[in-house]
Amino acid sequence: MKRVLAGVAAVTGIVLTGCTSASSDNPTISTIETTVHSTVTQTRTAAPTFRPKPATTVAPLPPGQAPAKGEVERACPYILSSQDQGPNSLADLEGDRVYRTTVLTGMKPVGCRFYFWSDQYQAIAEIATRSFSSALDAHNAMVLTAAAGNQNQGYPNLLPGVDAISYRTKFLGRDGDRDWACVFSKGKLMVTVRTQRTDTSLNARLIAKAIAPKI
């Protein structure tokens, strides 16, 4: 005869706290255990199903060169590219002039990428999206994505209902793994903003705050 046991699936993850250091740029992330109660035929520990892909760098996009596969040159639906188009543009918030903008069509909703106007025409910022089956899955994926980087900094309620984590990762090839990114979860969606900035994490968060209401 099959016995039905009252099981407890324990999921351990990083959650965001409101604790900050003396500098507003260095909040902390703490770890707690969340217990989910359910009735199951056996007792087991739930394992994460999401595994972040290794961070990769982005190739430049010089004049006359077609965008890479999966990129289409057109305006980003979440933010203006240039300060000439209006305030709070990507150029304003990231701190560099934008020469070309592409939409990443392999994502749903689409992502965006922005390229510098001179020098090596390198990518200066990227917005990447991923949808999940639940808000909890999106939140856990956000935590795991940041954990794959370094120097994690948690920002609970970056906007109402939007938690975020800043972290360093790869983006511009010559920077190694020192570029700042900001990943946030909003409902069932995880959004990652990567920048070429190595000097401050603020710019990626400002971009995240600007696009979160529109994505």
Side-chain angles (χ1 to χ4, degrees):
M1 182 173 67
K2 181 183 294 186
R3 293 189 303 165
V4 178
L5 305 180
V8 177
V11 179
T12 301
I14 302 174
V15 277
L16 307 163
T17 68
C19 182
T20 61
S21 65
S23 169
S24 62
D25 203 35
N26 290 288
T28 59
I29 299 176
S30 63
T31 302
I32 69 166
E33 181 175 277
T34 301
T35 302
V36 181
H37 296 275
S38 61
T39 301
V40 294
T41 56
Q42 59 181 344
T43 302
R44 63 182 179 85
T45 299
T49 57
F50 172 78
R51 294 289 186 274
K53 294 181 180 179
T56 57
T57 58
V58 176
L61 185 61
Q65 179 175 306
K69 183 179 180 180
E71 287 185 67
V72 176
E73 190 157 8
R74 66 172 183 252
C76 179
Y78 316 122
I79 190 170
L80 298 175
S81 294
S82 170
Q83 55 265 70
D84 298 332
Q85 299 170 334
N88 297 317
S89 66
L90 189 284
D92 288 324
L93 301 181
E94 194 280 332
D96 288 294
R97 288 186 64 182
V98 175
Y99 170 59
R100 300 179 72 176
T101 302
T102 64
V103 165
L104 307 178
T105 58
M107 302 172 184
K108 190 175 181 181
V110 297
C112 303
R113 194 172 284 159
F114 306 85
Y115 294 88
F116 193 45
W117 74 290
S118 65
D119 190 16
Q120 299 178 14
Y121 303 98
Q122 73 270 21
I124 61 174
E126 176 187 87
I127 300 166
T129 68
R130 179 158 177 171
S131 297
F132 292 86
S133 59
S134 70
L136 177 60
D137 286 344
H139 185 276
N140 290 342
M142 172 191 69
V143 171
L144 292 170
T145 297
N150 57 83
Q151 296 187 31
N152 298 339
Q153 303 171 352
Y155 292 85
N157 292 316
L158 182 72
L159 291 173
V162 177
D163 292 334
I165 308 174
S166 290
Y167 65 103
R168 287 189 189 265
T169 186
K170 292 181 179 179
F171 186 58
L172 180 61
R174 62 175 178 256
D175 292 341
D177 61 353
R178 298 182 300 111
D179 289 321
W180 279 107
C182 179
V183 59
F184 67 86
S185 63
K186 179 184 177 182
K188 299 179 181 180
L189 188 66
M190 179 184 76
V191 180
T192 305
V193 176
R194 293 194 295 168
T195 71
Q196 67 162 357
R197 301 300 296 254
T198 61
D199 55 340
T200 176
S201 64
L202 176 62
N203 301 64
R205 285 196 308 281
L206 291 177
I207 297 168
K209 289 180 71 172
I211 66 174
K214 303 175 183 178
I215 197 167

